[in-house]
């Protein structure tokens, strides 16, 4: 049984898809005005784990992700850089996709740019105006009236009392705001001179959509309404997901998604990693220090997705060492047809218990240290890696595919040892090492391993 914590019910629930073996999954994607920071990447790594666990359970997944390529921040960046908006957003979209690849995050089935779906957004604003949930100001903006929706705020558990004291209409036109500032939010932003050439024509005048409406429109267009799972970082519960729910339920009279999954934050020095706090690292900052992107992935798997995690270089070093150790262990194994059933059952139970990756990793190490033959261990580890995404199979294959030049050195070293020329043998060992391989003498001969450190 696959269980997930649903933010909407605030409970761990058994996952029941709408269609028996198919799952519609929507994860909120990046706003492409800059490089992603490793806090953002935590959300995408766990979106990937969620997807891989669904796949492991035999579901066929349709995964949709948005690219927010028009908003205040993207417009500001294009003006600062004196480049057209699409040039800026395409550059950072490419960089984002490279990060996903480096972290072995499976790409979404559908990556949708907000600017390619403006007509659907205009349609939805029209419906909300027609149904009386929205109003237009004299400046031309269209706002959603939260007072019109009795259960507004149910996802974030905002009480009616809070609403009464705070919902004084429009406080600001920003897309992002905090719980102390609950207010009507923009569906359509009228063009103003600071937006320059960025606008679309609509029945309510020239302008651009608000942020929240993008995800409402794009998710239901490609996945239907309701769809199964909507996921993102915890900071999206309010206002973003709260407002998505409000718009979609008001416009279409049914729930938007059945399960709402939220990934906790990555902290630095106890504070949320954020561009605005200027306490962030990019993936390139990690790789510049010679860490593998997958060491960062490994590090994140050691903490449950609903717990905050504090990023330190020490913890990343420990993760890199653990990963190297795992790679070294597996490179000595031979393949087999049968794995270790007992460990496979425990692993499945862990991941199906609300994606318990720390437990799943503990099972990996229990298995590696167990008395099972290496061949059976390898078989199970390759299976587990469908979820973990640590490239176990590729690393093992690479370790087995030793270049001819290295094989030659190994042979020469064996001959030197046979003739008791240990100085030569040692020299050759060093040569082999500089080619990226370690040679270890064992009771029955020697073992060659790929070097990871
Ligand atoms: P943005 O590009 O700012 O729209 O954010 C993209 C994703 O990263 C969203 O799902 C956010 O919830 C998530 N996110 C932002 N900051 C952090 C953080 N420090 N830790 C984890 N996730 C974050
Ligand atoms: Zn979204």
């Amino acid at each position: 049984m696959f269980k997930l914590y649903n933010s909407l019910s605030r409970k761990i629930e058994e996952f029941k898809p709408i269609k028996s073996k198919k799952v519609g999954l929507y994860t909120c994607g990046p706003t492409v005005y800059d490089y992603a920071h490793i806090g953002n990447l935590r959300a995408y790594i766990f979106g990937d784990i969620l997807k891989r666990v669904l796949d492991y359970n035999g579901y066929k997944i349709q995964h949709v992700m948005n690219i927010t390529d028009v908003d205040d921040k993207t417009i500001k960046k294009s003006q600062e850089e004196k480049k057209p908006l699409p040039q800026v957003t395409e550059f950072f979209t490419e960089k984002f996709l490279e990060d996903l690849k480096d972290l072995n995050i499976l790409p979404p089935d559908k990556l949708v740019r907000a600017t390619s779906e403006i007509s659907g957004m205009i349609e939805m604003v029209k419906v909300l105006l027609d149904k009386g949930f929205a109003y237009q100001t004299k400046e031309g903006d269209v706002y959603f009236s939260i007072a019109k929706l009795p259960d507004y705020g149910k996802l974030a558990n905002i009480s009616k009392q809070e609403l009464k004291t705070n919902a004084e209409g429009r406080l600001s036109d920003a897309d992002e705001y905090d719980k102390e500032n609950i207010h009507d939010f923009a569906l359509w932003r009228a063009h103003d001179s600071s937006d320059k050439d960025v606008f679309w024509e609509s029945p309510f005048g020239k302008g651009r959509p608000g942020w929240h409406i993008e995800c409402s429109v794009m998710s239901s267009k490609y996945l239907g309404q309701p769809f199964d799972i909507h996921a993102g970082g915890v900071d999206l519960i309010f206002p973003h997901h709260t407002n998505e729910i409000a718009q979609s339920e008001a416009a279409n009279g049914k729930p938007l998604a059945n399960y709402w999954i939220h990934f906790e934050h990555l902290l630095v020095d106890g504070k949320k990693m954020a561009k605005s706090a200027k306490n962030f690292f990019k993936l390139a900052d990690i790789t510049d220090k010679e860490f593998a992107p997958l060491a960062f992935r490994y590090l994140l798997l050691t903490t449950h997705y609903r717990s905050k995690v504090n990023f330190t270089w020490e913890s990343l070093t420990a993760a890199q060492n653990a990963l190297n150790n795992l790679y070294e262990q597996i490179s000595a194994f031979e393949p087999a047809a049968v794995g270790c059933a007992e460990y496979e059952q425990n692993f499945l139970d862990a991941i199906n218990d609300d994606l318990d990756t720390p437990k799943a990793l503990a099972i990996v190490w229990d298995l590696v240290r167990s008395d099972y033959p290496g061949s059976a261990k390898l078989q199970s580890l390759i299976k587990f890696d469908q979820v973990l995404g640590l490239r176990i199979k590729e690393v093992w294959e690479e370790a087995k595919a030793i270049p001819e030049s290295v094989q030659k050195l190994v042979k020469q070293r064996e001959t030197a040892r046979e003739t008791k020329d240990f100085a030569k043998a040692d020299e050759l060992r060093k040569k082999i090492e500089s080619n990226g391989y370690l040679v270890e003498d064992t009771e029955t001969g020697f073992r060659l391993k790929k070097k990871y450190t």
Side-chain angles (χ1 to χ4, degrees):
M1 185 173 40
F2 178 32
K3 289 181 292 177
L4 274 174
Y5 180 84
N6 188 348
S7 305
L8 200 57
S9 63
R10 283 169 271 277
K11 279 195 201 93
I12 293 195
E13 294 178 24
E14 180 185 350
F15 176 66
K16 291 190 185 129
I18 296 166
K19 292 185 195 138
S20 70
K21 272 293 172 192
K22 281 195 181 154
V23 176
L25 169 69
Y26 186 89
T27 53
C28 286
T31 306
V32 280
Y33 69 104
D34 204 342
Y35 295 92
H37 61 63
I38 59 172
N40 301 136
L41 295 174
R42 186 184 191 202
Y44 302 115
I45 287 174
F46 275 104
D48 187 54
I49 295 289
L50 169 61
K51 193 166 144 182
R52 286 168 177 267
V53 170
L54 286 163
D55 180 63
Y56 201 80
N57 279 281
Y59 292 111
K60 192 161 170 8
I61 304 136
Q62 175 69 2
H63 176 207
V64 179
M65 184 191 277
N66 65 296
I67 293 283
T68 299
D69 59 352
V70 60
D71 80 326
D72 292 340
K73 289 183 267 191
T74 44
I75 293 174
K76 186 161 167 261
K77 186 75 164 215
S78 89
Q79 291 176 355
E80 278 167 7
E81 299 212 333
K82 299 193 173 47
K83 287 181 187 150
L85 183 62
Q87 192 181 332
V88 170
T89 56
E90 280 311 304
F91 175 82
F92 288 114
T93 302
E94 273 312 304
K95 295 293 161 198
F96 170 69
L97 294 176
E98 282 169 23
D99 283 353
L100 296 193
K101 212 165 163 202
D102 288 345
L103 289 165
N104 203 16
I105 294 173
L106 304 170
D109 300 294
K110 208 147 184 55
L111 190 71
V112 201
R113 287 162 178 80
T115 52
S116 64
E117 302 287 341
I118 304 285
S119 61
M121 297 174 205
I122 291 174
E123 273 314 302
M124 190 165 197
V125 177
K126 262 203 271 187
V127 171
L128 290 168
L129 278 166
D130 288 349
K131 290 194 170 180
F133 285 104
Y135 59 93
Q136 188 162 27
T137 66
K138 63 177 183 324
E139 292 81 19
D141 300 308
V142 181
Y143 277 86
F144 186 93
S145 173
I146 58 176
K148 294 271 166 62
L149 201 66
D151 62 356
Y152 178 83
K154 62 186 168 192
L155 178 70
N157 207 11
I158 293 164
S159 71
K160 290 244 161 62
Q161 191 54 41
E162 278 174 278
L163 267 182
K164 256 188 216 133
T165 49
N166 291 305
E168 292 156 347
R170 309 176 315 269
L171 293 178
S172 83
D173 61 0
D175 280 326
E176 291 172 78
Y177 47 93
D178 55 32
K179 274 193 197 173
E180 277 65 55
N181 276 318
I182 299 160
H183 58 73
D184 290 356
F185 58 91
L187 298 167
W188 185 259
R189 311 266 300 267
H191 181 249
D192 77 39
S193 55
S194 65
D195 284 354
K196 297 196 176 143
D197 60 342
V198 181
F199 63 84
W200 286 263
E201 297 291 348
S202 84
F204 0 96
K206 273 183 1 181
R208 58 180 164 101
W211 170 34
H212 315 301
I213 195 119
E214 288 177 15
C215 288
S216 279
V217 167
M218 296 191 274
S219 59
S220 51
K221 172 168 173 184
Y222 295 102
L223 299 172
Q225 185 174 335
F227 60 91
D228 294 296
I229 307 177
H230 195 312
V234 272
D235 55 326
L236 300 185
I237 293 179
F238 186 88
H240 184 51
H241 290 165
T242 294
N243 291 348
E244 274 187 47
I245 290 176
Q247 298 157 160
S248 295
E249 294 194 355
N252 301 322
K254 46 191 173 183
L256 178 58
N258 289 346
Y259 297 84
W260 290 79
I261 311 301
H262 291 100
F263 312 119
E264 252 301 348
H265 280 144
L266 183 81
L267 312 179
V268 199
D269 300 329
K271 292 195 198 76
K272 178 191 165 193
M273 182 174 282
K275 303 231 172 75
S276 53
K278 296 203 168 43
N279 62 353
F280 63 91
F281 302 111
K282 307 184 293 289
L283 192 58
D285 296 324
I286 282 183
T287 50
D288 283 353
K289 286 188 192 269
E290 307 288 318
F291 289 101
L294 291 188
F296 178 62
R297 184 175 173 110
Y298 184 101
L299 171 62
L300 293 191
L301 299 185
T302 61
T303 304
H304 192 266
Y305 78 88
R306 282 197 290 123
S307 300
K308 291 185 176 64
V309 61
N310 199 34
F311 175 80
T312 62
W313 293 104
E314 288 74 26
S315 59
L316 185 60
T317 306
Q320 179 76 70
N321 290 339
L323 189 61
N324 291 344
N325 186 2
L326 184 62
Y327 287 167
E328 278 187 22
Q329 300 271 350
I330 57 162
S331 57
F333 297 158
E334 294 304 325
V338 190
C340 315
E342 164 203 355
Y343 285 90
E344 289 185 8
Q345 186 58 50
N346 293 345
F347 183 87
L348 182 67
D349 291 345
I351 56 170
N352 278 358
D353 182 13
D354 194 28
L355 316 177
D356 194 343
T357 54
K359 192 157 177 199
L361 277 185
I363 292 163
V364 162
W365 285 106
D366 282 350
L367 170 63
V368 169
R369 294 187 194 112
S370 74
D371 294 334
Y372 276 97
S375 55
K377 291 180 188 175
L378 180 67
Q379 175 68 21
S380 292
L381 290 171
I382 289 175
K383 201 167 168 195
F384 297 168
D385 203 47
Q386 289 171 31
V387 170
L388 303 172
L390 297 171
R391 296 196 203 275
I392 299 261
K393 189 155 183 258
E394 289 96 315
V395 168
W396 180 79
E397 280 169 351
E398 212 180 77
K400 291 291 150 193
I402 300 158
E404 247 177 65
S405 55
V406 174
Q407 284 183 30
K408 226 166 145 185
L409 292 170
V410 170
K411 276 207 189 103
Q412 286 171 9
R413 181 178 168 276
E414 275 311 278
T415 315
R417 274 170 56 83
E418 275 159 23
T419 55
K420 306 226 184 290
D421 186 351
F422 294 116
K424 177 104 189 267
D426 230 36
E427 190 187 308
L428 285 159
R429 176 209 293 275
K430 281 184 191 135
K431 248 193 187 157
I432 294 166
E433 226 185 293
S434 67
N435 277 279
Y437 287 86
L438 290 173
V439 61
E440 270 175 16
D441 295 310
T442 65
E443 274 169 30
T444 50
F446 68 93
R447 197 160 68 175
L448 193 65
K449 296 193 306 188
K450 198 157 161 59
K451 200 176 150 202
Y452 292 102
T453 40

